[in-house]
Amino acid sequence: MTTSLGTPRTPRTLDALEPALSVRQVLGLERVLAGEPEVVAGASQLDRLVRWVHVAEAADVGVMLTGGEMVLTTGVLLAGDEAAQAEYIQSLHRAEASAVVLGLGRAFPAPPDVMRRAAERCGLPMVVLHRPFPFAELTEEVQSRLVQRKFAAVSLSEAVRTALTGLITGGAPLQSLLDEVASHSACPVVVTNLAHRVLATAGERSAVDDVLRDWERISRQAGGSEGDGWIRAELGGRGERWGQIMLCGYRGDTATGRLLADRAAEALVLHRMLGGSAHTWEEQSAQSLMTDLASGVVPARQLLPRARAAGLPVNRRTFVPMVVRDGDTAQLDRVLRLLGLPGLVAELADGVTAVLLSLPRDQDADALAAHFANRLRTESGALKAVVAAAGQRTVWDDVPAGLREAQHVADAVADSSDALELPAVVRLKDVHLRGLIRLLRDDPQVQSFAERELDGLLCAADEDLLAVLRTYLATGRNKSRTAQLHHVSRPALYRRLEAIEGRLGVDLDDFEQAASVHIALLAHDAQQG
């Protein structure tokens, strides 16, 4: 098989970042092109790396090689001896030479068939030069470039190590470290545990999503191979592995990618040892995903690859979004595992934890959610936990709205004194008017209504009168109970109620007016919360 060498292929990364040259790149050098190179064997192996260039005429040159050399020869000692020609190629193959370049001339006016066939059989790139070419120039050019690249590799290694160490000592989170690695590698960076569950990612969002779309299959298919740009480094210490970092689709040479992965792995192990966060990486991963889902800033469809890569089943499932108040995140996760319920648990704020169950569609989602809540309440320290849930979702795109609904329900019962009398799983129908107001609190018309109804008190900024009004309406306008709760006499309470009525211009004994003020106050409190 004979392949003519045309325009050299453009290197896929900056030359300055490559610690070695490929055979293809050497053949693309201007000085080499002047010799009219032609690849006559091993064309599929042109991406082999060239560690050094060696000029040799000796028939037994293989014993002088250590691997990775491009050997230049005129073949003067091989002419007329086909056995020596075949053995010459075999010795280069055994020594793991990267390529052989034969200068055509008096010894070989045309490519020798014996050498070409032998090179093709063993996959050794064989190149012939059709024009006279001074080997010294090629040697000087390549050696100079290789030294520059090796120096650049050392510089890159130190630059990456310095940058990552600076981030760690500055208390930066895991994401900052990965962003730094992604900026150097120019490809998606993924950190996983040993079960291939994605813990964190970095890189261009669209590229990361493409990698995560079918993560488990492609990550396992990649195996230990680095030929396709999947470069990995193990994470662990003291003889224990607990994860790996992967450069996914790295477009530079393998040596540079491995260097970056190794530097990144060293930094991540150090970050974990120093306890850079109060949460484990698994918790941070779930928290990031659930926060993005609940906020609605990122479309749910764009988060689907992350959810799947995090180990959450998403195909043909029933999703139950829940928010738990006063429940420990680790305890919630443990209860899920005990019950064998697939889902994610993540702390959204102090004392507020989101839980997303993903259940087969043939299971009773409401019953399983209640089972989870009851089991949680029997756990130590969880008796006061409030489990709020939204209605079932069978479409992934509806999950963010479900999480927000569950959050509203949890907020609506947050200050309720009869929380223990609520059902195991509190839903929107259980919080009545308060729940409705929580759902509508961001509506401009509701906000305007609240401001208009309470204007007389809000302008005065009288928190004492607001507190009295709040208690009076919450107790069903029970004056005796209100006076008792505020530790005032009834005449004193009457004077305060009169002041409230005067400022608002309402009659609190009138049911409709009192109801209007109550709704406005609930909306105002929801806004403040």
Side-chain angles (χ1 to χ4, degrees):
M1 175 179 177
T2 301
T3 303
S4 295
L5 191 75
T7 304
R9 189 173 68 175
T10 302
R12 292 175 292 183
T13 57
L14 293 176
D15 286 352
L17 294 181
E18 298 183 352
L21 287 170
S22 68
V23 174
R24 190 188 306 276
Q25 288 172 315
V26 171
L27 298 182
L29 296 177
E30 186 175 353
R31 290 188 179 181
V32 180
L33 289 175
E36 296 183 7
E38 178 188 3
V39 180
V40 297
S44 63
Q45 301 295 318
L46 295 184
D47 288 323
R48 284 184 175 184
L49 295 182
V50 177
R51 188 181 60 81
W52 207 244
V53 176
H54 193 73
V55 180
E57 299 292 352
D60 59 348
V61 64
V63 299
M64 297 181 284
L65 305 180
T66 58
E69 295 91 351
M70 174 180 277
V71 177
L72 312 180
T73 183
T74 61
V76 294
L77 300 182
L78 303 174
D81 190 341
E82 292 186 350
Q85 295 170 22
E87 175 56 28
Y88 184 82
I89 296 297
Q90 288 294 332
S91 68
L92 294 182
H93 173 61
R94 290 192 296 270
E96 298 183 352
S98 60
V100 59
V101 177
L102 174 65
L104 299 181
R106 287 179 298 175
F108 292 103
D113 285 341
V114 172
M115 294 180 68
R116 182 183 59 78
R117 289 196 300 268
E120 192 66 49
R121 282 195 300 271
C122 63
L124 176 70
M126 179 176 173
V127 181
V128 296
L129 300 175
H130 288 278
R131 293 177 62 86
F133 183 82
F135 286 166
E137 290 186 11
L138 174 58
T139 303
E140 179 183 6
E141 175 83 6
V142 174
Q143 312 299 46
S144 175
R145 288 176 179 258
L146 290 176
V147 170
Q148 291 174 12
R149 281 160 175 74
K150 291 179 180 179
F151 177 76
V154 173
S155 299
L156 172 64
S157 176
E158 288 307 307
V160 172
R161 178 183 282 119
T162 299
L164 295 178
T165 302
L167 289 172
I168 294 172
T169 56
L174 170 65
Q175 189 62 53
S176 295
L177 273 67
L178 296 182
D179 289 341
E180 182 70 22
V181 175
S183 71
H184 286 284
S185 66
C187 71
V189 177
V190 179
V191 175
T192 74
N193 61 16
L194 296 182
H196 293 263
R197 171 177 285 192
V198 174
L199 306 180
T201 63
E204 184 182 349
R205 190 71 262 164
S206 60
V208 172
D209 288 344
D210 286 342
V211 168
L212 297 184
R213 208 170 305 282
D214 195 10
W215 169 254
E216 184 167 353
R217 180 183 63 82
I218 62 178
S219 66
R220 293 181 188 278
Q221 272 189 350
S225 171
E226 296 181 342
D228 54 1
W230 285 69
I231 299 176
R232 67 194 68 218
E234 301 295 336
L235 301 176
R238 299 178 181 176
E240 179 184 5
R241 290 174 55 238
W242 40 262
Q244 61 184 351
I245 181 170
M246 303 176 68
L247 307 185
C248 305
Y250 180 70
R251 299 178 68 82
D253 68 277
T254 301
T256 301
R258 193 179 296 117
L259 179 149
L260 285 170
D262 288 343
R263 294 296 84 78
E266 291 171 3
L268 296 191
V269 170
L270 180 60
H271 182 273
R272 179 157 169 152
M273 289 175 57
L274 295 178
S277 171
H279 302 286
T280 66
W281 290 355
E282 287 85 352
E283 291 171 341
Q284 292 180 57
S285 174
Q287 184 179 49
S288 173
L289 174 59
M290 295 286 268
T291 299
D292 286 345
L293 271 173
S295 69
V297 174
V298 182
R301 190 165 299 278
Q302 292 184 20
L303 298 173
L304 189 59
R306 287 172 58 188
R308 185 183 288 112
L312 185 73
V314 295
N315 295 330
R316 298 187 59 79
R317 309 291 286 190
T318 296
F319 301 102
V320 183
M322 298 188 290
V323 169
V324 181
R325 280 190 171 271
D326 301 322
D328 179 75
T329 302
Q331 189 175 60
L332 293 171
D333 190 61
R334 185 167 64 87
V335 171
L336 277 186
R337 294 176 186 275
L338 285 174
L339 298 179
L341 297 177
L344 293 177
V345 178
E347 184 179 28
L348 298 182
D350 288 341
V352 179
T353 304
V355 180
L356 179 60
L357 298 183
S358 175
L359 307 171
R361 291 187 177 178
D362 59 353
Q363 294 187 355
D364 189 335
D366 289 344
L368 288 174
H371 186 38
F372 165 76
N374 286 322
R375 183 62 179 266
L376 177 64
R377 287 195 170 192
T378 62
E379 294 291 316
S380 175
L383 294 176
K384 294 184 179 180
V386 174
V387 180
Q392 303 173 18
R393 263 59 177 181
T394 56
V395 178
W396 173 258
D397 287 350
D398 294 338
V399 169
L403 283 170
R404 291 192 290 273
E405 179 183 321
Q407 178 77 68
H408 288 313
V409 174
D411 289 344
V413 298
D415 300 322
S416 176
S417 60
D418 58 347
L420 293 179
E421 300 175 11
L422 292 169
V425 178
V426 186
R427 301 183 185 275
L428 196 58
K429 64 182 178 61
D430 300 313
V431 292
H432 307 294
L433 179 62
R434 189 181 297 272
L436 175 63
I437 295 299
R438 284 280 177 176
L439 282 176
L440 298 177
R441 65 180 178 180
D442 294 329
D443 189 303
Q445 295 187 47
V446 173
Q447 296 170 6
S448 177
F449 168 77
E451 291 291 319
R452 185 172 60 251
E453 289 290 301
L454 301 175
D455 181 61
L457 286 180
L458 297 179
C459 289
D462 195 328
E463 291 297 328
D464 182 57
L465 290 182
L466 270 177
V468 169
L469 176 61
R470 187 178 292 108
T471 304
Y472 180 62
L473 295 174
T475 59
R477 295 182 293 172
N478 187 320
K479 295 177 182 178
S480 297
R481 180 62 176 157
T482 302
Q484 180 184 15
L485 290 174
H486 283 271
H487 307 289
V488 297
S489 64
R490 294 200 38 151
L493 176 66
Y494 294 157
R495 288 193 295 272
R496 295 184 184 185
L497 291 176
E498 289 174 1
I500 291 172
E501 290 178 327
R503 293 188 182 183
L504 298 181
V506 299
D507 178 4
L508 293 178
D509 288 330
D510 181 89
F511 175 78
E512 184 174 339
Q513 293 184 51
S516 181
V517 172
H518 194 187
I519 292 172
L521 186 57
L522 288 176
H524 170 74
D525 289 345
Q527 285 295 320
Q528 299 304 308

